[in-house]
Amino acid sequence: VSGARARRVLVTLLLAGGSVTPVACTWTSPSSDALESLDELPQAPTTVVPVVTPDGPATTTTVSATEAACVDGHLATRSYRPSGADVPPADDLPAGSTMAELHDAGQIRIGVDEDTLGLSSRNARTGDFQGFEVDLAREIAARILGPDASPGSVVLVPVDTGNRKVDVVADGVVDMTISAISMTCGRWEDVAFSAEYLTADQQFLVRADSEIDGLDDLAGRTVCVTAASSSARILPTAVPDAVAHPVDSRTECLVALEEGVVDAYFGHDLFLYGMSAQDPTMEVVAGLLPPEVSASHYGIAIAHGREDLVRFVNAVLEDLVADGTWGRLYGRLQTDLPELPAATPPVPAYRD
Amino acid sequence: MGSANGAATEVSVTWRTRLGRRPLVGPLTTPTGLRAASAAVLLTTVLFGVVAVGAARLRQDAADTVGLDATPLLVGAEELYVALADADATGSTAFLAAGAESPALHARYLADIDRAGRRLVAIAAQDGLSADARDAVAELAVQLPRYARLVEAARVNNRLEHPVGAAYLGWASDLMTDEMLPAASGIYEEAARRLDDGYRRGTSGAPVVGVLVAAVLALALLVAVQLFVARRTRRLLNVGLVGATVLVVALLGWALASFSAQQEALTRSERDGSDLLLALSTMRILALRSLSDENLYLIERGTAAAYRDDFDEVTASITGPLMEQARSSAPDDATRVEIRRIEGHHGQFVSVHDRVRRLFDADGDTEPDDYVTAVDIAVTDLTAAATTVDEALATEITAARTRLDDGAADARHGLRALPLVLLIGVVTATVAALAGVQLRAREYR
């Protein structure tokens, strides 16, 4: 009977609907492979990290994750040194370089976050991306494409939090990702990083009336973290009695807090101030963890094999700090996030 | 002496009978035979009546399942699914469009939520829902207000230009796609199964065969009793038995005609209504899904290939097997014209989509500024084309449902009188047959 066939077709199609794997950012969250991703993360901080011989306890030292040398012998926060003192102008980029290639193509694809107020968010009314990282992306793109490039030549691609923001670089979907990526040894295995452009500190966001003031108060509480983030990695060690609640995007943690699903959000202060700016009933609890545990160093992720682009971006970063652009952008960030303390530009560190 | 003689005569009669002259008599005296005949006639005619009424009940029940039970549930579930999926698609369109909230889009969202609520209540009021379907309804009743609340939180935050608005919308969409739509499609699938089951039971030949067997049994016995009576009493015809035989034959004819008419009506309902209804409502659900796919692909700036692939897959299903199914199950030329029109509207939708895809495809050579144009086309022309497809499908779904209902109603009404007729007929036939036999039996007192 043809009716029975139609029904089978329908049932198959409807059921197949569940198999569309959303890979999206805020809009849809993928069925979380959070735990799996967590396993891929680099070593926990303040653990014993082998420096020379992986199995030799005698040669190990206790250091914070970001200070530990990676397998390649370099610190995760050290990038490739700029080639020359000056940044070559957009119309005179070294022939055959990645920059020249991008310049000729007339388009750069840059991964950014779309829901982190202050750093990078998509304005719901205008649909435009805005924030410190977006400004930085446009500054770097302008140095490659030239000042006359059309606004649309910088394609901002919203990338998920978690490992995807690194994977899209490794897979060549985007040319670079500027999205609050903490430089770690594990991520260096997939991509290269620019020099540090911003430093964050891991803190807690709670409801102002929650009476959570210290780590002890978090015992038995549910704490929101973004899956596969450094926060997700640090939380079990820092607050073993807290129940982690991993989600796919940072702002989901604010929703979870507002909805009463979680008691606190553990994340970078830069995100937290963006959330308390959106909801004044939320409060940032700072200074609960020692800085060597909680400090996160942001780098721009660029594919391995594009070392020339890394060096170029580092030259641009130095330039932006020197000409005061960095300070101006940070000032704008402070306008967006009134509680954000003042900061000085990170000092670049190189491995060569 | 006399008695011994009589016994010897009777024995010899019996033996002659055994030898084949009177095969139907057996070692019986005539009065005993007549009593046995009365009992057998009573049994078989009543058996015929019971089997026939039972068969009528079975067929009636199946037709009721189709007309009163499965179809309203199927259409209700389809409308519920469409309302929910449309609310979600409206959300993704609004997100993609950004800018000030479009009053038209918001009104459509509100209408979707109202429609979903009404459908849900109608489904809950249906009899005979399975435990799974009840659970699905209860889950949807809990989640619909939750979904609406999350969307409202998103709206308020969007107005304040807070990025958390998008996260609320994401939560709402996750709730819809992960929990609500599967629950709704679960109800739809149950309805489709019940419809299938109703058609299968309603056109199954087993009850008719049962009626035929019972009737043949009753008729054979009536004829046998008549032969017995005729030979024993030397009367050619017994009015009661002949009347009963004629009545059973007439009842059998009536029952077979009724079953055949009912089966024809139900087959017509399935062929002209149900097949088309299922093809069209599946198309409607998938067309909405393809619109959401397109929106999400653009929202993700082409980085989520799953949405592009899903669009292509879903569209291939619509233009291929489903359209073919719709064409082949169209009952008349007018409907075929309407289906060609739907095909045209959908072709228009796909060609607008092709424009969007040409402007923006992550794998192709895309001019950067084209993204903005692509989004613009998606939120205007593409959405309008999708609405046209949806409305055309909705109209034809209603028409198909009317044909389905008409056929199912004919099937139900065709059997309505049968049980009563059978009851009266069988009682009359039994009484006539017994009276006929009794008349002869009295002569032996």
Side-chain angles (χ1 to χ4, degrees):
Chain A
V1 180
S2 53
R5 196 183 65 226
R7 281 183 276 279
R8 270 197 301 280
V9 168
L10 170 75
V11 169
T12 313
L13 291 170
L14 287 180
L15 294 182
S19 71
V20 187
T21 317
V23 212
C25 305
T26 32
W27 177 248
T28 52
S29 53
S31 46
S32 179
D33 51 355
L35 294 174
E36 199 177 312
S37 309
L38 280 177
D39 292 341
E40 295 166 10
L41 285 169
Q43 312 91 321
T46 66
T47 52
V48 179
V49 178
V51 176
V52 183
T53 53
D55 300 321
T59 60
T60 57
T61 44
T62 302
V63 285
S64 95
T66 46
E67 288 171 357
C70 303
V71 189
D72 60 7
H74 297 290
L75 294 180
T77 47
R78 300 210 162 174
S79 182
Y80 302 114
R81 190 176 295 279
S83 304
D86 299 318
V87 184
D91 52 8
D92 191 23
L93 294 164
S97 68
T98 307
M99 296 76 78
E101 201 180 294
L102 293 170
H103 177 90
D104 294 343
Q107 181 179 321
I108 295 183
R109 299 171 67 83
I110 303 179
V112 292
D113 196 70
E114 64 176 344
D115 66 359
T116 306
L117 185 66
L119 287 185
S120 176
S121 65
R122 184 180 179 273
N123 186 304
R125 279 206 322 103
T126 62
D128 295 334
F129 287 90
Q130 58 191 37
F132 181 92
E133 290 178 329
V134 175
D135 294 339
L136 192 60
R138 294 196 192 284
E139 292 286 347
I140 293 169
R143 301 296 186 103
I144 296 171
L145 299 174
D148 301 329
S150 76
S153 57
V154 186
V155 180
L156 296 174
V157 178
V159 293
D160 214 346
T161 47
N163 277 335
R164 201 175 115 76
K165 58 189 177 184
V166 172
D167 293 343
V168 286
V169 175
D171 298 344
V173 175
V174 296
D175 298 306
M176 60 183 80
T177 293
I178 313 181
S179 184
I181 308 178
S182 306
M183 294 181 277
T184 61
C185 295
R187 287 178 175 144
W188 263 98
E189 287 176 15
D190 298 324
V191 291
F193 282 101
S194 73
E196 184 175 1
Y197 65 89
L198 210 54
T199 313
D201 193 31
Q202 315 245 15
Q203 293 167 4
F204 292 90
L205 185 74
V206 298
R207 287 182 288 275
D209 60 1
S210 72
E211 293 173 1
I212 295 175
D213 302 318
L215 292 181
D216 293 347
D217 300 327
L218 287 163
R221 304 289 192 114
T222 308
V223 179
C224 192
V225 285
T226 45
S229 67
S230 50
S231 315
R233 179 166 49 83
I234 295 170
L235 185 71
T237 338
V239 197
D241 296 331
V243 182
H245 179 85
V247 298
D248 296 310
S249 79
R250 293 163 200 147
T251 312
E252 268 188 72
C253 280
L254 178 55
V255 176
L257 259 180
E258 290 183 342
E259 292 288 308
V261 175
V262 300
D263 300 304
Y265 165 41
F266 182 48
H268 298 178
D269 55 351
L270 289 163
F271 316 153
L272 269 45
Y273 290 124
M275 292 178 189
S276 62
Q278 295 176 67
D279 184 346
T281 69
M282 298 295 160
E283 190 178 60
V284 178
V285 185
L288 296 190
L289 297 176
E292 66 268 22
V293 173
S294 59
S296 283
H297 308 276
Y298 294 171
I300 298 167
I302 295 169
H304 280 307
R306 284 182 153 187
E307 220 178 276
D308 55 346
L309 185 58
V310 180
R311 292 182 196 279
F312 179 86
V313 165
N314 286 342
V316 172
L317 286 175
E318 281 195 19
D319 217 31
L320 293 175
V321 169
D323 70 6
T325 306
W326 191 96
R328 188 167 50 78
L329 297 185
Y330 193 83
R332 205 190 286 177
L333 182 60
Q334 281 185 300
T335 317
D336 285 343
L337 316 178
E339 294 178 59
L340 183 71
T344 51
V347 179
Y350 302 113
R351 53 179 58 192
D352 49 4
Chain B
M1 178 71 195
S3 82
N5 216 2
T9 315
E10 228 174 68
V11 165
S12 75
V13 166
T14 307
W15 273 109
R16 272 165 58 198
T17 312
R18 280 280 166 89
L19 288 170
R21 295 280 297 279
R22 286 177 182 173
L24 293 166
V25 176
L28 298 172
T29 60
T30 304
T32 311
L34 288 177
R35 272 196 299 277
S38 296
V41 164
L42 183 69
L43 260 175
T44 50
T45 48
V46 167
L47 180 72
F48 166 67
V50 168
V51 168
V53 169
R57 288 290 316 148
L58 278 178
R59 286 288 188 100
Q60 177 87 48
D61 191 53
D64 284 351
T65 297
V66 169
L68 302 179
D69 186 20
T71 305
L73 185 62
L74 183 84
V75 173
E78 180 252 339
E79 284 174 357
L80 174 68
Y81 192 103
V82 165
L84 293 175
D86 194 63
D88 202 40
T90 309
S92 65
T93 304
F95 182 85
L96 188 57
E101 182 181 80
S102 145
L105 270 184
H106 186 59
R108 185 165 152 188
Y109 161 79
L110 289 179
D112 285 334
I113 295 298
D114 288 359
R115 207 146 46 100
R118 286 179 201 285
R119 286 295 148 219
L120 199 54
V121 171
I123 291 170
Q126 284 224 345
D127 289 333
L129 287 184
S130 71
D132 283 351
R134 288 213 173 280
D135 287 350
V137 168
E139 185 151 317
L140 284 166
V142 171
Q143 285 164 348
L144 189 60
R146 221 181 121 211
Y147 174 81
R149 194 173 57 73
L150 291 171
V151 170
E152 286 314 308
R155 287 182 70 219
V156 171
N157 277 293
N158 284 347
R159 288 178 173 206
L160 296 169
E161 299 188 18
H162 288 165
V164 72
Y168 269 104
L169 209 51
W171 267 41
S173 186
D174 282 354
L175 180 66
M176 181 61 81
T177 47
D178 294 350
E179 293 179 39
M180 297 173 73
L181 290 181
S185 80
I187 301 173
Y188 186 98
E189 284 157 29
E190 172 168 327
R193 269 196 303 275
R194 280 161 77 163
L195 192 60
D196 212 18
D197 177 59
Y199 282 125
R200 205 170 37 72
R201 283 191 291 121
T203 53
S204 155
V208 181
V209 171
V211 171
L212 266 173
V213 168
V216 166
L217 205 64
L219 287 172
L221 203 89
L222 281 171
V223 170
V225 170
Q226 274 168 87
L227 288 176
F228 174 76
V229 169
R231 300 211 172 158
R232 280 300 170 88
T233 63
R234 312 277 174 214
R235 300 202 186 176
L236 213 55
L237 284 176
N238 180 305
V239 178
L241 286 170
V242 169
T245 308
V246 170
L247 207 50
V248 169
V249 169
L251 284 175
L252 177 65
W254 183 312
L256 290 181
S258 297
F259 285 144
S260 149
Q262 173 262 2
Q263 184 160 340
E264 190 276 328
L266 215 50
T267 306
R268 179 159 46 83
S269 157
E270 181 171 27
R271 192 190 55 222
D272 298 352
S274 168
D275 285 359
L276 189 58
L277 178 74
L278 280 163
L280 294 176
S281 52
T282 307
M283 263 189 227
R284 193 175 180 205
I285 287 168
L286 291 183
L288 276 172
R289 188 164 116 191
S290 70
L291 179 64
S292 280
D293 282 339
E294 184 86 336
N295 286 341
L296 290 166
Y297 184 64
L298 287 168
I299 286 171
E300 298 310 325
R301 301 297 191 285
T303 57
Y307 294 122
R308 185 188 53 188
D309 299 345
D310 193 59
F311 183 100
D312 292 345
E313 202 177 310
V314 159
T315 303
S317 302
I318 294 174
T319 54
L322 286 170
M323 208 55 92
E324 177 54 40
Q325 162 92 29
R327 268 194 302 268
S328 65
S329 37
D332 49 41
D333 286 340
T335 310
R336 270 186 283 277
V337 168
E338 286 307 315
I339 287 165
R340 264 199 297 280
R341 184 171 302 172
I342 290 170
E343 214 174 345
H345 289 322
H346 188 259
Q348 179 65 26
F349 170 77
V350 173
S351 78
V352 176
H353 152 81
D354 287 342
R355 260 165 69 208
V356 173
R357 185 69 65 86
R358 268 199 302 280
L359 283 165
F360 183 76
D361 190 337
D363 295 346
D365 267 342
T366 304
E367 289 297 316
D369 295 332
D370 290 348
Y371 176 73
V372 181
T373 320
V375 167
D376 197 45
I377 295 172
V379 300
T380 53
D381 294 0
L382 191 71
T383 308
T387 307
T388 310
V389 172
D390 189 68
E391 282 166 357
L393 281 168
T395 309
E396 269 322 287
I397 285 171
T398 308
R401 195 211 164 161
T402 307
R403 283 191 297 275
L404 189 161
D405 280 344
D406 287 350
D410 287 351
R412 287 189 293 119
H413 296 151
L415 289 182
R416 186 155 288 169
L418 189 58
L420 189 65
V421 170
L422 280 167
L423 187 72
I424 294 170
V426 165
V427 167
T428 312
T430 312
V431 167
L434 292 183
V437 174
Q438 207 55 36
L439 214 61
R440 297 283 76 81
R442 214 172 288 151
E443 294 168 356
Y444 288 83
R445 289 254 161 89

